[in-house]
Amino acid sequence: MKQINNLVITCGISFFGRNNLYGKRTDEKKLLRFEGTNPVPHPDFDAERWKKEMATISQQERLRSPKKISAEYSALYALQKMGRLYSPLYVTLVHTDSFGARLAVEILKTIIKEDFEASVEVIETKDFNVEHPQLLKNGISIYLKNLLGILRGNDPSYTAFAPIGGYKVMMAYGSLLANLLNFPTLYLHEDAQVLHVIPAIPFQIDRDIIVENAQFLRKINNLEVLESGSLSEDEMRFVEAFPFLFEKADDLVSISPFGRFLIESPDYLQYVGVQYRGSAQVRDLINGLKGRQRKMVIDQMKILASKLLSWDGRYDGNLMHETDFTTLKKQKPTFHLYKGKSSWGDGVFRCAWRFDRENLLLDVNYLWIDHDLYEKEIKEGKGLFENRVKYDLTSLIYGE
């Protein structure tokens, strides 16, 4: 990597360091209070007043003291001094949803655009709660998915990942992902203002290993925690052989944040995500569709799966639409009726479904996209009683 024109930077709150221009001004004007290094709003905090005060710091002041802005700014300045940036320059700022990080990127976005003539995009990664391990695990997975979406499709020869700000765990997991995708990582030694460029060290995860253990990975990701004693010998050997995919505490095993991200990525989701099965009617109807109508049906199947993953089992008129039909109320259907898309452009979406939450199996017994036919057949309970599911539709659904 000789030069960079695409830089992905994680952002934190070094912007508010009280030796830095903006942090010092914030502190002197008592616009915020600080708990350690964390900026905290006063009860009467006025964000617009704060932004206006920050805007009084001129570009000339910044260029006189480029090392007293923030770590993120310093990284860009160091690259510029090294002659490693070229135009057009694209910068993506990734930050958590904390109060301080949100404020910092408000100003960083503007001054990076002005001082480095860059196009700047801001991505917020949510649910990053370092005080609650289980919530943090979910937050790291979201962060890695965001990062994957940003990096994938770019060329490592002119794109780099700079985990400069934010929590240290963002640096650790982000660097691991960047390395996996073959992107170089930049690290700033803030006190000495020395920038280190760390090339990617290629490594691969054997796809066959994930596919062969898909059922176990699907189970542990779904249930979140398993007792070590409940694992088979093969499952335990797998856990021991791939420690980066799992976390162990006492007699419990769970999926690691990186493991969750990896198996929920597009490359593996069809193996460890919801598995779709259907009847011949469902299979043939989908295979006979083309273009927008086919896409609509596939999308609706995925939406149904998503709803079922978060469903708490309480009454839902769309997931249990059979309850709207008087003729079906006294009967006990084997399948529920889902009321999906109802606009007429590409047809409607109605289906008879059953879901095994523990094993992530979604069975679709009957499917309608013609509303008139649906109205006629559902009154007779078609598709809701006799189980005709026998075909695996998983690759068909995920392949779209």
Side-chain angles (χ1 to χ4, degrees):
M1 184 191 68
K2 294 181 179 179
Q3 288 187 306
I4 299 169
N5 89 320
N6 192 358
L7 190 60
V8 181
I9 307 175
T10 61
C11 299
I13 56 173
S14 69
F15 178 88
F16 289 104
R18 274 159 285 181
N19 289 325
N20 289 339
L21 287 176
Y22 291 90
K24 185 177 180 181
R25 181 71 58 87
T26 297
D27 192 33
E28 288 174 345
K29 296 286 185 177
K30 306 298 181 187
L31 299 172
L32 293 168
R33 61 187 181 88
F34 289 85
E35 293 180 355
T37 59
N38 289 316
V40 178
H42 295 296
D44 58 349
F45 172 67
D46 186 336
E48 290 306 315
R49 181 186 165 216
W50 177 80
K51 289 178 194 175
K52 287 178 181 178
E53 185 61 44
M54 296 301 100
T56 63
I57 296 175
S58 67
Q59 185 180 52
Q60 288 76 12
E61 288 180 85
R62 293 194 297 272
L63 296 180
R64 282 198 300 268
S65 304
K67 297 179 181 181
K68 292 189 175 183
I69 307 300
S70 75
E72 300 83 8
Y73 188 98
S74 292
L76 281 162
Y77 178 74
L79 284 168
Q80 188 179 65
K81 292 289 285 184
M82 294 163 65
R84 302 289 287 270
L85 296 180
Y86 74 94
S87 296
L89 177 61
Y90 300 93
V91 176
T92 304
L93 303 177
V94 183
H95 69 95
T96 67
D97 53 0
S98 70
F99 172 78
R102 280 175 168 167
L103 274 189
V105 296
E106 284 277 340
I107 306 301
L108 282 172
K109 179 180 180 180
T110 300
I111 63 178
I112 289 173
K113 190 179 295 185
E114 289 178 1
D115 298 357
F116 298 95
E117 298 181 349
S119 295
V120 183
E121 183 179 6
V122 173
I123 303 292
E124 179 174 287
T125 186
K126 297 185 181 298
D127 298 337
F128 221 89
N129 193 324
V130 294
E131 296 179 0
H132 296 85
Q134 195 57 43
L135 294 177
L136 178 60
K137 184 183 291 189
N138 185 56
I140 293 171
S141 296
I142 294 171
Y143 162 64
L144 290 172
K145 287 175 185 176
N146 287 336
L147 199 54
L148 176 66
I150 298 165
L151 290 173
R152 178 168 275 180
N154 286 300
D155 189 335
S157 63
Y158 56 77
T159 302
F161 173 59
I164 302 296
Y167 298 107
K168 286 182 172 60
V169 71
M170 295 173 72
M171 176 185 295
Y173 279 108
S175 297
L176 185 61
L177 174 60
N179 203 52
L180 181 65
L181 298 175
N182 204 33
F183 287 93
T185 301
L186 308 184
Y187 174 71
L188 181 73
H189 189 280
E190 201 165 349
D191 291 338
Q193 294 283 292
V194 175
L195 189 73
H196 302 277
V197 181
I198 305 169
I201 301 171
F203 74 93
Q204 290 184 329
I205 296 171
D206 190 337
R207 183 188 187 90
D208 290 341
I209 293 294
I210 302 297
V211 174
E212 288 168 10
N213 293 277
Q215 185 173 355
F216 171 62
L217 287 167
R218 187 160 60 245
K219 179 172 69 173
I220 196 169
N221 190 44
N222 181 35
L223 299 179
E224 296 189 345
V225 177
L226 295 175
E227 293 184 359
S228 299
S230 70
L231 272 57
S232 68
E233 289 185 11
D234 286 342
E235 290 170 343
M236 202 64 221
R237 276 196 292 269
F238 178 54
V239 170
E240 297 290 349
F242 296 91
F244 63 90
L245 293 176
F246 304 98
E247 291 181 348
K248 294 195 295 181
D250 299 324
D251 294 327
L252 301 176
V253 179
S254 63
I255 199 82
S256 72
F258 184 77
R260 174 174 290 176
F261 154 75
L262 183 70
I263 65 177
E264 291 182 353
S265 68
D267 292 338
Y268 298 107
L269 190 58
Q270 75 176 81
Y271 305 110
V272 298
V274 172
Q275 304 296 289
Y276 297 84
R277 302 187 303 192
S279 63
Q281 185 267 347
V282 174
R283 180 199 60 184
D284 294 344
L285 192 152
I286 294 175
N287 282 332
L289 298 175
K290 295 179 180 179
R292 287 176 52 186
Q293 198 169 47
R294 181 184 177 92
K295 183 178 185 304
M296 181 274 288
V297 169
I298 298 293
D299 288 347
Q300 286 289 303
M301 293 277 274
K302 292 177 180 177
I303 289 170
L304 171 59
S306 178
K307 287 178 181 289
L308 292 172
L309 285 172
S310 60
W311 186 39
D312 61 6
R314 288 183 291 183
Y315 174 75
D316 183 305
N318 289 326
L319 292 175
M320 306 166 70
H321 192 49
E322 71 277 4
T323 57
D324 281 12
F325 294 86
T326 305
T327 54
L328 301 175
K329 277 185 178 180
K330 295 181 180 180
Q331 304 179 60
K332 293 184 178 180
T334 307
F335 294 84
H336 288 298
L337 178 64
Y338 173 60
K339 178 182 178 182
K341 183 177 180 289
S342 292
S343 56
W344 295 88
D346 303 312
V348 300
F349 184 89
R350 304 286 187 272
C351 73
W353 65 271
R354 182 173 62 187
F355 188 53
D356 179 342
R357 182 67 178 79
E358 182 173 341
N359 295 300
L360 297 185
L361 292 174
L362 174 55
D363 290 341
V364 179
N365 199 44
Y366 210 84
L367 174 64
W368 295 269
I369 60 172
D370 182 306
H371 191 268
D372 290 339
L373 181 62
Y374 160 73
E375 286 284 330
K376 176 183 176 183
E377 293 184 338
I378 198 59
K379 292 175 182 176
E380 303 166 0
K382 189 159 190 175
L384 296 180
F385 295 94
E386 186 178 353
N387 183 7
R388 295 182 177 274
V389 172
K390 59 180 179 178
Y391 297 100
D392 187 351
L393 306 180
T394 305
S395 59
L396 175 65
I397 301 300
Y398 285 111
E400 296 295 322

